Amino acid sequence: MNSHDQSVESADGTRLVVRRLGVGDPVVLVHGSGGGLHSWAAVADDLAHDHEVWLPARRGYGPSDVPPGVKSFRDETADLVAVIETARRSSGRPVHLVGASYGATLALHTTSAEPRDVRSLAVFEPPLFAAGAEIAPLLNRYRAAFERDDAAAMAAALNDVTRVPAEVVAAIAAGAGDRRPDPVEARRSAVGWLHDLEALAQDSTDITRWSSIAVPTLLLAGADTWEPMPTTMNALATTIPAARYVVWPGQSHFVTMTAPALVAQALRRFFAGVPVA
């Protein structure tokens, strides 16, 4: 699928690189921590057969700008609003907003604050439990490891944030074998994680704040994802009572990579049922 990269300027002048592909109703796909332009690639290629897909690299993740200072969800909400407004101007239509993991938390923030151009919202496993004061010491641990370029210590701190079980960590490591990440990509991911942790440390674990979301909403989860994600998703489903809630058997937090066709199919079915704005 042919794609085109363009720049979008946020309210504070931060330059965001956005990949665009396909033709049709606009869809904005927001990546999680450690991701980038590539994160939604397989899902985007599928959706682009009948949708105009927009893939922003969030601030802190190259090739977008890495601004100085401590990042907040307010900054990233302004970024995402700029991307949504650009997609709206391009197509003349409001967007379907989709986020995975940290990107899902950001999509919730953005829809709650600025729903005007959001036609629908789909969120996959936002880590709403990983926020606030308990993240601050993990941020400090991660920052210290980052500054000495200690990949193992960075990974250990992140595992304590995401609460990935040890056996899952071991399975991922075994699957990687002797493959080593590209050092440029690894550093880009590490920088992005640092900024994401800054925003999470200032955020709240209060799930009830999302009760004001009124756009058509789809909640997505994998049945095999570890706690506290299932409890978190159930609480979110209670908070947004009009939301549709889909749990995929045999899938986990990595479903956008392991089963992209399943994700694209669920999104396409959801979009088709959203009233025309």
Side-chain angles (χ1 to χ4, degrees), residues 67-98:
V70 175
K71 192 183 76 171
S72 70
F73 274 108
R74 183 176 297 176
D75 298 327
E76 284 213 277
T77 293
D79 294 350
L80 196 47
V81 167
V83 172
I84 290 167
E85 288 176 345
T86 301
R88 172 73 192 249
R89 283 195 304 271
S90 172
S91 64
R93 307 167 196 168
V95 309
H96 297 293
L97 181 58
V98 183

Side-chain angles (χ1 to χ4, degrees), residues 6-11 14-20 26-31 37 52-59 64 75-98 106 110 114 116-118:
Q6 65 188 78
S7 292
V8 171
E9 188 172 308
S10 188
T14 298
R15 183 189 62 91
L16 307 167
V17 174
V18 184
R19 183 160 294 163
R20 174 182 169 187
V27 180
V28 176
L29 300 175
V30 189
H31 70 81
L37 291 175
E52 182 181 84
V53 182
W54 297 71
L55 301 161
R58 296 192 288 101
R59 74 166 57 202
S64 293
D75 298 327
E76 284 213 277
T77 293
D79 294 350
L80 196 47
V81 167
V83 172
I84 290 167
E85 288 176 345
T86 301
R88 172 73 192 249
R89 283 195 304 271
S90 172
S91 64
R93 307 167 196 168
V95 309
H96 297 293
L97 181 58
V98 183
L106 174 55
T110 304
E114 295 284 350
R116 184 181 64 250
D117 291 327
V118 177

